[in-house]
């Protein structure tokens, strides 16, 4: 696209001026969607510590040192920028609909990751920890931080307060299909985390329903008393 071409020109211009900037323009054969782009970039990264953030300035560049600090210092395996801890918040007014959707999506992931903002796209992890998820990480969808936290068994996880700002450029990629992919991702992660328990719970519920139904259906033998 035109935007990608301009981004490539700017990055190459900065590199020619001596800045340590690299850019890779992903081809269609290398995947589609946000998560696959992040994983591709992580795979091509030179250094041992990896950081992901939005490029539309919703994530403030000034917050990068704070988000990276717990991983760099070894106090956490995974650090994530959160709006819901001290120092965090929104730098603009969100509509009520967006607040409800965000809260609902966060609630659905409640039992998967010990974070107050598990769907944030501003996070830091080491290559060593990321490698635990090799062959398991699902590149479909857009909540890659949640995917990494769960599949790579990150522990401890630390929330870092950030101010989430209004988008400076570009537009949201959210759509009905993205919400569908998120629900599919949640199902997969819950099965990976609680698989046997979920199966046992379903069997238990089915058994209880069977017992209730058989006790109510006519012709079912009942024990006589008295």
């Amino acid at each position: 696209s035109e935007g990608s071409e301009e981004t490539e020109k700017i990055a190459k211009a900065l590199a020619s001026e001596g800045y340590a900037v690299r850019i890779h323009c992903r081809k269609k054969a290398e995947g589609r969607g946000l998560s696959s782009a992040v994983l591709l970039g992580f795979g091509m990264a030179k250094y041992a510590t990896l950081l992901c953030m939005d490029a539309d300035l919703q994530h403030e560049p000034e917050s990068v040192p704070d988000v990276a600090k717990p991983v760099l210092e070894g106090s956490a395996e995974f650090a994530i920028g959160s709006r819901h801890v001290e120092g965090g918040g929104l730098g603009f007014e969100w509509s009520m609909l967006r607040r409800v959707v965000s809260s609902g999506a966060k609630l659905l992931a409640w039992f998967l990751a010990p974070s107050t903002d598990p769907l944030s796209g501003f996070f830091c992890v080491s290559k060593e920890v990321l490698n635990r998820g090799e062959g398991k990480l699902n590149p479909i969808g857009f909540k890659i931080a949640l995917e990494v936290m769960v599949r790579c068994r990150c522990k401890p996880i630390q929330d870092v307060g950030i101010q989430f700002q209004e988008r400076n450029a570009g537009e949201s990629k959210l759509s009905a299909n993205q919400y569908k992919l998120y629900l599919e991702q949640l199902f997969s992660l819950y099965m990976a985390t609680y698989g046997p328990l979920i199966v046992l719970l379903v069997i238990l519920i089915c058994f209880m329903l069977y017992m209730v139904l058989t006790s109510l259906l006519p012709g079912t033998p009942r024990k006589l008393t008295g």
Side-chain angles (χ1 to χ4, degrees):
S1 68
E2 184 179 345
S4 297
E5 291 172 359
E6 289 301 313
T7 301
E8 184 178 15
K9 288 179 183 177
I10 293 171
K12 288 182 176 179
L14 289 171
S16 68
E17 293 173 15
Y19 291 95
V21 176
R22 292 190 302 140
I23 187 169
H24 173 77
C25 293
R26 182 179 55 167
K27 301 175 179 62
K28 287 184 179 180
E30 294 176 306
R32 301 178 66 86
L34 175 62
S35 293
S36 65
V38 172
L39 293 176
L40 178 64
F42 281 175
M44 300 177 71
K46 291 171 59 177
Y47 299 104
T49 303
L50 311 165
L51 186 137
C52 175
M53 65 186 297
D54 289 354
D56 56 10
L57 298 182
Q58 285 195 297
H59 297 147
E60 297 176 320
E62 295 83 2
S63 297
V64 167
D66 291 334
V67 175
K69 186 177 179 181
V71 175
L72 290 172
E73 292 185 345
S75 60
E77 288 191 341
F78 191 97
I80 186 165
S82 173
R83 297 161 292 168
H84 308 300
V85 294
E86 184 178 354
L90 283 172
F92 64 105
E93 190 63 31
W94 249 6
S95 68
M96 181 56 67
L97 175 61
R98 192 168 181 187
R99 288 177 183 270
V100 170
V101 170
S102 177
S103 296
K106 183 179 70 174
L107 187 62
L108 290 173
W110 184 267
F111 295 104
L112 287 173
S115 170
T116 59
D117 209 352
L119 308 185
S120 171
F122 196 174
F123 64 92
C124 182
V125 67
S126 69
K127 276 194 172 184
E128 180 182 1
V129 171
L130 186 71
N131 286 340
R132 292 182 199 156
E134 188 173 355
K136 302 175 185 176
L137 293 169
N138 184 357
I140 306 300
F142 62 104
K143 296 306 179 185
I144 187 61
L146 180 63
E147 186 79 17
V148 172
M149 280 189 281
V150 176
R151 302 280 189 192
C152 298
R153 309 291 184 186
C154 299
K155 189 177 180 179
I157 293 169
Q158 184 169 331
D159 287 352
V160 179
I162 61 165
Q163 289 293 319
F164 189 69
Q165 301 294 346
E166 192 165 13
R167 182 176 287 105
N168 186 267
E171 58 186 21
S172 175
K173 301 298 189 295
L174 287 179
S175 64
N177 185 57
Q178 291 291 353
Y179 290 123
K180 173 178 172 290
L181 290 174
Y182 175 57
L183 292 177
E184 291 176 357
Q185 179 186 23
L186 282 176
F187 177 77
S188 177
L189 293 177
Y190 271 108
M191 286 302 295
T193 305
Y194 303 106
L197 290 176
I198 291 176
V199 172
L200 184 61
L201 181 61
V202 171
I203 293 174
L204 181 60
I205 291 173
C206 290
F207 177 74
M208 292 175 66
L209 287 173
Y210 170 77
M211 295 299 292
V212 170
L213 288 173
T214 53
S215 68
L216 296 176
L217 289 174
T220 303
R222 291 179 173 82
K223 183 179 180 182
L224 297 176
T225 59

